[in-house]
Amino acid sequence: MLSSINSFVTIRRISHSLAQDDIGSKRADACVARLQELNSSVQVAASSEPLSESFLKNFSVVVFTDLGMDDALDYNDFCHKNGIAFIKAEIRGVFSSVFCDFGDEFVVNDVDGEEPFSAIVAAITPGKTTLINCTDDERLHFQDGDLIKFSEVKGIPTLNEMEPVKVKNVKAHSFEIDVDSTDMPAYETGGIIEQVKLSKTLNFKPLREALSDPGEFLMSDFAKFDRPQLLHLGFQALAAFQKGKGRFPQPGDDEDAAEFLNYAKKINEASSGSIEELNEDVLKALASGSSSEISPMAAMIGGVVGQEVLKATSGKFHPLFQFFYFDSLESVPKGLSKEELAPTGSRYDEQIAVFGISHQKKLENLNGHYIREAEDQTLVEQ
């Protein structure tokens, strides 16, 4: 299925480990063969040429990661003008951000992907609003506001000829329609009701406009109701910090955290929808882990982005509109010092920068514990 999708995806992580021979190679070149193994029906290729507008024109969907804000704004402007679906994904420790822009008039042909519901008419009661009773074989799946169309109704041919009409007051086996049937002939028998699913047109804003006017955020956790707006500000502050310093804040560094908060406060003050009281603890946590990408977050956000690519190419299912923020701050131990987060020169430095060296050692010892248990169990069985 994916072989027909003309898309370009910048991939940060893959689940397969690279080999010793891959050291010194470009990551994209080293990953191609292993990515190809995941699905032989998908053609995978890597390009080392500079990213340009002429190159982007070859694709219908582009996904960017590790992209600075200035470049993101420029590439998004180009994609928006040329009808190319644009997705930007970012992982900063246990925080993540996804932005989608599918153009001015993106048509969703099937909002939920479900088959249209149907029902069989059992009786029709005339009136200023017409009551429709259906057979009681199963409950109706219609919801108030759904559009339906009649066919094969005997006795009231007018119903068969009507344009789709909205249902209301839906019960287990009945509903009403705003149709005056007092002067219509009496219902005789028969009748099939089919749900009519209409397409929906979405008007996506380009990134430049959406940053200051993001609209409603897709909630990932209703216990963190105010978190998306805070993270929308925080990720803009990270971009400003990176542009000014040429790097992200260092893990556990108080000076970097203070400077990052200054960026956040300035952006917040200039915003039309400013936050009255900033949660500085959350913002400091975002800053501290911002230089790290950890595999669980990459897997989760990769799944989200993969679905959005399919939505952009198929027009099926409602796409992300337009910002999505997710965090797992509750996973991070509290009170971690700068020394606890300092790199060790190992492959686990990005995890250490988020969870600390003590937690990393616990994970390593836990892994060894289970290995020893498995070895002991093998000896017992032998």
Side-chain angles (χ1 to χ4, degrees), residues 70 95 130 133 248 257 301:
D70 288 346
F95 297 85
T130 303
N133 288 93
F248 286 105
I301 296 302

Side-chain angles (χ1 to χ4, degrees), residues 228-271:
Q229 186 180 7
L230 180 66
L231 294 185
H232 185 67
L233 168 67
F235 272 86
Q236 291 181 72
L238 275 182
F241 185 102
Q242 183 191 29
K243 181 179 180 180
K245 305 285 285 189
R247 60 174 176 82
F248 286 105
Q250 296 298 307
D253 189 292
D254 291 337
E255 291 184 5
D256 278 1
E259 187 168 353
F260 168 76
L261 285 176
N262 286 333
Y263 278 112
K265 290 174 181 177
K266 289 179 181 178
I267 295 172
N268 186 50
E269 290 169 359
S271 173

Side-chain angles (χ1 to χ4, degrees), residues 136-372:
D136 58 3
D137 295 343
E138 61 177 308
R139 292 177 61 90
L140 291 175
H141 296 286
F142 302 135
Q143 296 181 1
D144 286 8
D146 282 353
L147 289 170
I148 61 160
K149 188 167 178 59
F150 291 91
S151 63
E152 301 181 25
V153 177
K154 295 182 180 179
I156 315 179
T158 306
L159 290 181
N160 299 326
E161 299 165 0
M162 285 193 317
E163 293 297 317
V165 60
K166 289 183 179 180
V167 302
K168 67 177 186 178
N169 298 330
V170 178
K171 305 293 191 299
H173 305 291
S174 68
F175 60 85
E176 295 178 4
I177 55 175
D178 282 322
V179 174
D180 186 351
S181 57
T182 52
D183 295 329
M184 292 184 183
Y187 168 72
E188 295 178 5
T189 187
I192 297 174
I193 305 165
E194 291 283 348
Q195 181 188 21
V196 177
K197 301 182 74 171
L198 300 180
S199 61
K200 181 178 182 180
T201 301
L202 297 175
N203 305 115
F204 285 83
K205 303 171 187 173
L207 183 58
R208 289 184 191 276
E209 183 180 342
L211 282 173
S212 58
D213 185 17
E216 292 187 13
F217 298 104
L218 175 63
M219 294 295 298
S220 62
D221 187 345
F222 286 97
K224 304 174 180 177
F225 187 76
D226 57 350
R227 190 65 59 83
Q229 186 180 7
L230 180 66
L231 294 185
H232 185 67
L233 168 67
F235 272 86
Q236 291 181 72
L238 275 182
F241 185 102
Q242 183 191 29
K243 181 179 180 180
K245 305 285 285 189
R247 60 174 176 82
F248 286 105
Q250 296 298 307
D253 189 292
D254 291 337
E255 291 184 5
D256 278 1
E259 187 168 353
F260 168 76
L261 285 176
N262 286 333
Y263 278 112
K265 290 174 181 177
K266 289 179 181 178
I267 295 172
N268 186 50
E269 290 169 359
S271 173
S272 57
S274 60
I275 302 171
E276 290 186 8
E277 186 175 353
L278 297 179
N279 188 328
E280 294 189 1
D281 290 339
V282 172
L283 290 175
K284 287 179 180 179
L286 171 61
S288 181
S290 60
S291 60
S292 299
E293 291 186 6
I294 54 178
S295 295
M297 292 293 292
M300 185 266 184
I301 296 302
V304 171
V305 170
Q307 289 182 335
E308 297 310 308
V309 171
L310 292 176
K311 293 174 187 178
T313 54
S314 68
K316 193 170 184 178
F317 298 101
H318 200 291
L320 196 161
F321 189 78
Q322 294 188 252
F323 285 99
F324 173 67
Y325 294 99
F326 174 81
D327 76 88
S328 183
L329 184 56
E330 58 274 14
S331 304
V332 180
K334 297 184 182 298
L336 296 174
S337 65
K338 184 176 181 180
E339 292 70 28
E340 179 77 11
L341 301 171
T344 64
S346 75
R347 62 187 296 185
Y348 301 111
D349 277 351
E350 293 193 50
Q351 287 182 188
I352 293 170
V354 176
F355 300 107
I357 186 64
S358 298
H359 191 74
Q360 180 61 37
K361 288 180 178 178
K362 286 181 181 179
L363 291 176
E364 293 172 4
N365 292 335
L366 186 65
N367 186 47
H369 170 72
Y370 283 118
I371 291 173
R372 288 192 296 273

